Amino acid sequence: MKKLGLLLLAMMISLSSCGGDNAKKAKESADQAVEATKDAASEAGDAVKEAAEKTADVAEEAAEKTADAAKEVVDTAKEAVSGVDGKTVFMNNGCIACHQVDKKTVGPSLKTIAASYVDKKDDMVKFLKGEGKAIVDPAQFAVMQPNLNTTKNMNDADLSALVDYMLSVK
Ligand code: HEC
């Protein structure tokens, strides 16, 4: 707006002036007007650039926040699954492939295993940590053994929930 005022002023001066140097004054005014327009254009360009940079910053920040929030939701869900639901641990680690609830397949049924471990939760935890002996079907232990690599590496919460589930099957 200031630039526009200058421009008007310059035009008024050029219009109202009289005498021999009218042409020279008009040229000066015109030059000033061109300069003022150039300045205004460059200022506007800077403002647009600045606004675009700010928008990019805000967008980037928002994207980061969204990613963080999504990660948190996934972590919470994982925690809920591993900490609470032993059945999910059992299913997710492929145990169901050999252990059905009440019929023998490749491995003994969950009912058979639970019957052998009544009041022996600690013993089953030890077995799954690779620190105990097979008591259900020792002759077939070689088939079960590779799975101990999975259960050995579980955290205590997962392992405890898993054993609780296996013992809960009656
Ligand atoms: C490839 C088939 C197979 C898979 C998969 C499998 N098991 Fe077994 N499991 C067996 C067999 C066979 C036995 C019987 C041998 C034995 O008693 O150690 C057994 C026995 C067991 C026993 C009883 C151990 C004892 O004292 O005799 C437990 C507990 C057990 N499995 C837990 C699991 C868990 C937990 C998983 C999943 C991480 C799993 N199994 C996956 C085949 C399997």
Side-chain angles (χ1 to χ4, degrees):
M1 283 321 272
K2 218 171 88 192
K3 300 278 147 69
L4 195 62
L6 264 176
L7 190 69
L8 283 174
L9 193 66
M11 282 166 71
M12 274 161 63
I13 291 168
S14 75
L15 284 175
S16 63
S17 55
C18 47
D21 54 0
N22 248 3
K24 200 180 146 205
K25 273 194 182 149
K27 188 180 177 303
E28 264 174 23
S29 310
D31 286 351
Q32 275 173 9
V34 168
E35 278 308 309
T37 311
K38 268 191 196 155
D39 282 358
S42 132
E43 251 170 51
D46 285 354
V48 169
K49 213 176 122 198
E50 209 173 293
E53 272 168 14
K54 268 198 190 132
T55 310
D57 282 356
V58 169
E60 202 176 309
E61 215 173 285
E64 264 170 30
K65 273 196 188 138
T66 311
D68 283 355
K71 197 175 163 283
E72 226 166 86
V73 170
V74 170
D75 284 352
T76 311
K78 269 191 192 156
E79 225 172 76
V81 166
S82 67
V84 176
D85 192 357
K87 187 177 181 179
T88 306
V89 178
F90 184 81
M91 297 297 174
N92 285 354
N93 286 284
C95 317
I96 190 70
C98 297
H99 297 291
Q100 301 285 309
V101 171
D102 57 7
K103 81 175 191 278
K104 181 182 181 342
T105 52
V106 181
S109 71
L110 288 180
K111 276 188 182 172
T112 305
I113 294 175
S116 301
Y117 277 94
V118 174
D119 295 331
K120 291 187 195 162
K121 178 178 173 176
D122 289 352
D123 284 356
M124 193 189 282
V125 170
K126 269 192 193 146
F127 172 78
L128 293 174
K129 281 184 168 172
E131 296 162 2
K133 280 208 176 95
I135 60 170
V136 178
D137 190 358
Q140 293 291 306
F141 174 64
V143 183
M144 173 59 201
Q145 196 170 19
N147 296 286
L148 298 183
N149 291 326
T150 306
T151 53
K152 254 191 252 177
N153 290 315
M154 283 179 183
N155 64 46
D156 287 348
D158 281 11
L159 193 57
S160 173
L162 172 66
V163 170
D164 282 344
Y165 167 68
M166 293 186 76
L167 292 176
S168 77
V169 177
K170 300 246 154 67

